[in-house]
Amino acid sequence: MFLSVVVPCYNEEDVVEEFYTVVSKIIEENDKFTKHEFVFIDDGSKDKTLEIIKNLREKDESVRFVSFSRNFGKEAGIYAGLKESRGELVVLIDADLQHPPEIMGEMAEKIINENYDSVGAVRENRDGEGKIRSFLSRTFYKFINSISDTQIVENSTDYRMMSRQFVNSVLDLSEYNRFTKGIFCWVGFNNAEIKYKNIERKSGNSKWSFNKLFKYSIEGIVSFSTFPLVLSSFLGILCFVVSFVMLILYFMKFIIFGEVVKGFPTLICSMFFLGGIQLLCIGILGQYLSRSYLEVKNRPIYIPKETSEELNKYK
Ligand code: UDP
Ligand code: MG
């Protein structure tokens, strides 16, 4: 089988060569892979990543690459890599050797012999990660799975081997705001999972700051569920019912006991409460609207500056 190895890279000069050596060896030793190619996506790296990839290309024709005009993010890198890939099997893997390449054989086995269309790697543990982070991540999966029709496997990673048919289906979803983890589940097919033990990064730093992760989870929720919109309608109805009941109560009090309701604090509190809910709902609406806005603009997901086939096309 012809295997494409898709690798998004952003400032990975420390590991990219080692990655290539380790993975090539594993692929060459496995007789299931009769032919292979590497598709490196240089996501606007500011270090020597692209240079190293070009050197690899000079030595080895099976190395192909696309270099972006700037940093477009990993999701764009994944899209570009899948689009460029030509193999019957495609494996998506990180450059930092955190995804064990040893299980590629097992993944291919499942697709070839057991009729699966894709095999995802799932982290068994979250060692080397803070407690708060793990907790938030667990909460995120619980939340998104309870409000979305698409069920996302907890602790799933982007490390995945796919059949050509599966890849083509993923590429059919050409949306601008890409939440790949959700897309992999959304397309359906027969999916298997392989568990592996989390390995700490070989070198360099994780590009995921807390901020980025937060944005990423909002992206996931907005991309795969319209529940927040339902929630805002629900809050509206709730406020209406409560205030209506209060109105009747106060009115009765006035009619029966002749009591004029005092209460400056009540007024202020309810005003702020309502104001808060209104802003929250506008915010939720805004999240969806801004995404629709970006989709409608129909901008390309990435801009290539250079590819292995067309070097310096625009120079
Ligand atoms: N990556 C990328 N573009 C980015 C950020 C990351 O292509 O803007 C790549 C990165 O080079 C690596 C993979 O995505 O191969 C995963 O990144 P990282 O190791 O920082 O994430 P983590 O393993 O912590 O989830
Ligand atoms: Mg990593």
Side-chain angles (χ1 to χ4, degrees), residues 265-279:
T266 333
L267 204 66
I268 288 291
C269 288
S270 51
M271 220 174 78
F272 274 91
F273 178 71
L274 275 182
I277 289 187
Q278 277 169 353
L279 285 179

Side-chain angles (χ1 to χ4, degrees), residues 8 10 12 43 71 74 94-96 98 201 206-208:
Y10 178 52
E12 301 284 7
D43 189 6
N71 181 248
K74 188 181 177 188
D94 281 2
D96 54 12
Q98 264 183 316
R201 223 171 195 286
S206 168
K207 275 102 205 162
W208 289 96

